[in-house]
Amino acid sequence: MSNTPHELYEEFPGEAENISARRLKDAHFAKLTDRYHEINRAIHRAETNIAPLDDMDAIELRKERMRLKDEIAKALGTSEPA
């Protein structure tokens, strides 16, 4: 497991098997989770000053991560992410 905060398996505890199975059978869901991971890692790189961003770009990435997390939660049938 990586040290990157906000990984999907941490955000949705108990849903690891469901997430993995859903990724295999649902291409749209797989794209959502891939995009979530991409954005989450960009935010982590910015927060650790590996690849800094200006404040507005960081805010937009966080908003996109939240939107994706909400969409993933809806697809998983959970009412709200952890």
Side-chain angles (χ1 to χ4, degrees):
M1 182 64 80
S2 84
N3 292 325
T4 306
H6 302 283
E7 291 292 338
L8 280 178
Y9 298 129
E10 295 169 0
E11 294 295 314
F12 298 99
E15 292 289 336
E17 286 182 32
N18 192 12
I19 290 170
S20 294
R22 185 77 185 257
R23 283 180 50 79
L24 291 174
K25 65 181 179 180
D26 184 340
H28 177 70
F29 185 81
K31 287 179 184 178
L32 287 175
T33 59
D34 287 345
R35 181 72 179 141
Y36 178 90
H37 286 300
E38 179 184 318
I39 289 172
N40 191 50
R41 286 180 176 85
I43 292 168
H44 180 67
R45 286 190 307 273
E47 289 173 344
T48 56
N49 289 320
I50 293 170
L53 296 171
D54 67 43
D55 289 343
M56 291 306 295
D57 288 338
I59 289 168
E60 289 305 313
L61 283 178
R62 286 185 184 99
K63 286 180 183 179
E64 178 69 5
R65 179 176 64 186
M66 181 73 75
R67 186 194 66 73
L68 288 165
K69 189 163 58 169
D70 288 345
E71 193 170 344
I72 291 166
K74 184 177 177 181
L76 290 171
T78 61
S79 58
E80 186 174 308

